[in-house]
Amino acid sequence: METIKAHIFSKTNRDILSQYESISISHSVLSLTPYQVAIEYFTLPVSVDEKGRVQALMAYPHDVETLQNVQLVLGKPVRPVEATKDQVLKLINKHYGRQSDTPHESVNSTGREERYDLLSYNRTDSATTIVNDVVHEAIRLQASDIHIEPFEREMCIRFRIDGVLQEMMSVPAERIAEITSRVKVISGMDIAEKRRSQDGRIRIDEKGKDVDIRVSTLPTDFGEKIVLRLLDKSSFDYNLENLGMKPARLSIFRKALIRPNGIILLTGPTGSGKTTTLYAGINYLKKPGINISTVEDPIEYNIPGVNQTQVNLLTGMTFARSLRTLLRQDPDIIMVGEMRDQETAEIAIRSSLTGHLVLSTLHTNDAPSAVTRLIDMGIEPYLVSSSLSVIVAQRLVRKICSHCKCEADVTDNVKQDIGLTPEVILYKGLGCSACGQTGYKGRTGIYEVLPISEEIRRLINTKAYASEIRNQAFKEGLITLRENALAKLSHGITSLEEVMREIAVMT
């Protein structure tokens, strides 16, 4: 991309600003910069000259990073015209045909704004409008959750995007009650009940996309906190190849999937992508001649051709009871959302020993620890060793945004400390409009795949410690979560900060 050559007009040329209030800027020029980007950088594209350079009004034309980001969005060299922030905002609203309050801003010591909310609060908006705007924006940004949090002086609205919460908007405290009531009405809750938690559901059609929203409320000191989980069926990826597993580990996982029996166990903390991997495995196995049944809490996504059962404690449909009933439904493959107790684990294990393939999850930090966790739950070692086929431990890390990816300044000592050679180049994201200034876009998995060999089965039968099982797995070629994370780091897929956030890589 051509190096920026910023031409700042002299102060005497500011009188040309008045002409922009009367001229009409062409749609093709305005479309070069989305409205939100124009607001974010206080930039208004005005015209394109014969050399392809864009003349743009800018509030911060001397800031190199702003110029770089603007040019990145435009894809063309920029010739800035300096103007005040208020002037640029006024003209943006005029020419884009949008009326909006000045975005919330936080100012650093230099006086330049570093962050602007993608949503802005307008006191004349109704609660219906505010809730609709929040939900639509969350879907557009592919957020997984919306957090609506009441505090003493304001209500804070945050989106979880790529696994990280980001503050998007704040609303005055006097609007808390009506916004809370609006969410409870559309999700089918009792608006008069404020002393205990409630669960609800919303289903909307967003530009042809079917989006399910699970809603949960929780009483707090200043009102009810609400979390909305967005389940966009059109964006859910059921493909095994897109999980992020390397071919060798994916081959082990596939071989376990095509076995007629045994247990495939996925481990990791909440939010590590276990359910996505389970669904991808189920989708891979789905065929007209196979009966696949699941017991889940809750059902995240509906898979055509798969019988999915929702756990309901109020009616006594626990994991264990649902699983017992399901076994009388002639299943070939069973998915149990989570092994939470000894009873559920025993039924699942005995099901695998009687000719069923079982997929389930467990909360442990790594693959070998899953074995000792099952034994600690009260499962006999011989049942564990006989039933387990493969254990997959996983985490999720954010991928560096491809639009603003650049080399990271990491010292050779730090590289050596984490097990990389000085020659390895590490990367980071600067932050741009394409990634919401985060430097990241999308996520990928980090995996530790442990096939249960005959020697590992022998160790399980002797109640070996997790460390002993791990040492044997090393001898058999186990690639650990740490090693997989370092591989993705050295290939420029993710950043050092992101890997350290998920996995301790320092030796």
Side-chain angles (χ1 to χ4, degrees):
M1 184 179 286
E2 181 180 339
T3 303
I4 295 175
K5 296 180 180 179
H7 175 70
I8 307 298
F9 284 76
S10 66
K11 301 292 185 182
T12 57
N13 281 356
R14 284 199 177 184
D15 57 359
I16 68 171
L17 291 173
S18 60
Q19 78 184 52
Y20 296 126
E21 294 189 3
S22 58
I23 67 170
S24 176
I25 302 174
S26 71
H27 176 73
S28 61
V29 173
L30 287 176
S31 64
L32 293 173
T33 307
Y35 173 77
Q36 295 291 356
V37 175
I39 286 290
E40 182 175 351
Y41 295 110
F42 294 107
T43 298
L44 175 68
V46 176
S47 62
V48 180
D49 65 19
E50 66 280 356
K51 295 183 179 180
R53 296 174 298 184
V54 177
Q55 179 175 298
L57 293 179
M58 297 186 67
Y60 302 104
H62 301 283
D63 186 89
V64 175
E65 184 179 345
T66 295
L67 280 171
Q68 288 176 336
N69 289 335
V70 170
Q71 178 169 272
L72 188 66
V73 173
L74 295 174
K76 301 175 183 293
V78 177
R79 300 179 68 237
V81 176
E82 186 173 4
T84 67
K85 185 178 72 173
D86 289 341
Q87 288 172 321
V88 175
L89 280 175
K90 180 180 178 182
L91 293 173
I92 285 174
N93 286 326
K94 171 182 171 56
H95 290 287
Y96 278 88
R98 294 279 300 271
Q99 299 299 321
S100 174
D101 290 345
T102 302
H104 172 72
E105 57 192 55
S106 57
V107 185
N108 66 7
S109 58
T110 64
R112 178 179 172 270
E113 290 80 0
E114 291 293 334
R115 185 187 63 80
Y116 308 94
D117 292 335
L118 294 179
L119 289 164
S120 59
Y121 169 69
N122 189 328
R123 64 180 179 275
T124 62
D125 285 343
S126 66
T128 300
T129 299
I130 293 171
V131 172
N132 288 349
D133 287 349
V134 166
V135 171
H136 293 320
E137 186 68 7
I139 294 172
R140 187 185 73 81
L141 295 175
Q142 298 181 319
S144 61
D145 300 87
I146 302 170
H147 287 239
I148 302 177
E149 303 165 312
F151 297 108
E152 185 174 8
R153 293 184 174 85
E154 64 180 4
M155 172 178 271
C156 180
I157 297 175
R158 298 191 290 172
F159 293 173
R160 188 177 294 279
I161 302 174
D162 292 334
V164 178
L165 280 172
Q166 300 179 34
E167 186 173 338
M168 306 301 295
M169 178 182 178
S170 63
V171 177
E174 59 265 22
R175 304 296 301 273
I176 291 176
E178 58 179 309
I179 291 174
T180 300
S181 295
R182 175 58 186 167
V183 175
K184 291 169 77 173
V185 165
I186 61 176
S187 56
M189 297 182 187
D190 181 359
I191 63 172
E193 180 56 72
K194 302 177 181 179
R195 297 172 298 175
R196 60 184 177 90
S197 60
Q198 296 186 69
D199 294 311
R201 195 166 193 141
I202 306 168
R203 175 169 289 183
I204 63 174
D205 182 6
E206 176 73 7
K207 297 181 179 177
K209 297 191 298 183
D210 190 12
V211 181
D212 277 338
I213 304 175
R214 290 205 320 270
V215 186
S216 172
T217 67
L218 178 70
T220 69
D221 276 354
F222 302 105
E224 294 171 276
K225 178 185 176 181
I226 303 173
V227 175
L228 297 87
R229 168 65 58 90
L230 277 64
L231 304 173
D232 183 355
K233 298 177 182 178
S234 65
S235 66
F236 190 79
D237 194 347
Y238 297 98
N239 199 325
L240 280 177
E241 282 71 22
N242 296 337
L243 293 176
M245 282 190 196
K246 290 295 183 181
R249 285 181 283 279
L250 186 57
S251 175
I252 295 172
F253 188 49
R254 274 209 191 97
K255 287 178 182 177
L257 285 171
I258 62 176
R259 288 185 58 180
N261 53 36
I263 288 185
I264 297 173
L265 204 54
L266 300 177
T267 76
T270 300
S272 59
K274 300 188 297 297
T275 300
T276 300
T277 305
L278 277 180
Y279 280 15
I282 290 295
N283 192 59
Y284 177 76
L285 293 168
K286 187 179 65 174
K287 295 177 184 176
I290 295 177
N291 177 12
I292 302 176
S293 299
T294 76
V295 182
E296 306 173 59
D297 184 25
I299 297 172
E300 298 277 357
Y301 294 93
N302 295 115
I303 307 175
V306 176
N307 304 292
Q308 296 173 268
T309 302
Q310 167 80 48
V311 168
N312 189 338
L313 299 180
L314 294 177
T315 61
M317 290 297 289
T318 62
F319 270 112
R321 184 171 180 178
S322 299
L323 190 51
R324 280 200 189 94
T325 304
L326 191 150
L327 288 171
R328 297 194 290 270
Q329 297 286 314
D330 187 30
D332 297 301
I333 298 169
I334 300 168
M335 187 189 99
V336 182
E338 183 183 344
M339 290 188 183
R340 293 181 178 175
D341 52 54
Q342 179 183 352
E343 186 180 12
T344 303
E346 280 188 344
I347 297 171
I349 286 173
R350 293 188 185 278
S351 300
S352 71
L353 295 175
T354 55
H356 302 92
L357 178 65
V358 179
L359 293 84
S360 189
T361 70
L362 198 64
H363 288 283
T364 62
N365 289 327
D366 55 23
S369 298
V371 173
T372 54
R373 173 82 173 105
L374 286 172
I375 294 174
D376 289 342
M377 288 171 66
I379 309 300
E380 291 293 335
Y382 76 91
L383 291 176
V384 176
S385 65
S386 301
S387 59
L388 279 181
S389 175
V390 67
I391 305 172
V392 179
Q394 68 178 87
R395 299 290 189 277
L396 288 177
V397 292
R398 292 182 292 173
K399 295 190 291 186
I400 298 172
C401 174
S402 59
H403 292 87
C404 58
K405 183 177 179 179
C406 68
E407 185 175 339
D409 185 15
V410 181
T411 66
D412 291 345
N413 287 338
V414 171
K415 293 178 184 178
Q416 290 172 340
D417 285 342
I418 64 175
L420 298 176
T421 61
E423 293 76 25
V424 174
I425 299 174
L426 302 183
Y427 296 88
K428 67 177 182 180
L430 280 175
C432 64
S433 60
C435 60
Q437 305 304 319
T438 63
Y440 300 96
K441 189 68 174 178
R443 288 191 289 178
T444 188
I446 292 175
Y447 297 93
E448 180 177 278
V449 181
L450 174 62
I452 307 301
S453 65
E454 289 304 317
E455 183 58 28
I456 290 178
R457 292 187 200 280
R458 186 190 66 78
L459 289 172
I460 294 172
N461 284 328
T462 62
K463 292 188 177 181
Y465 292 113
S467 58
E468 297 176 78
I469 296 173
R470 175 172 287 277
N471 288 336
Q472 178 60 33
F474 283 149
K475 295 176 185 178
E476 297 176 6
L478 176 71
I479 303 297
T480 65
L481 286 167
R482 180 182 181 277
E483 291 170 325
N484 191 208
L486 292 179
K488 282 187 163 55
L489 182 61
S490 60
H491 289 140
I493 296 172
T494 190
S495 69
L496 177 60
E497 292 78 13
E498 187 65 9
V499 166
M500 292 185 69
R501 185 175 69 89
E502 288 292 335
I503 298 171
V505 296
M506 304 301 285
T507 57

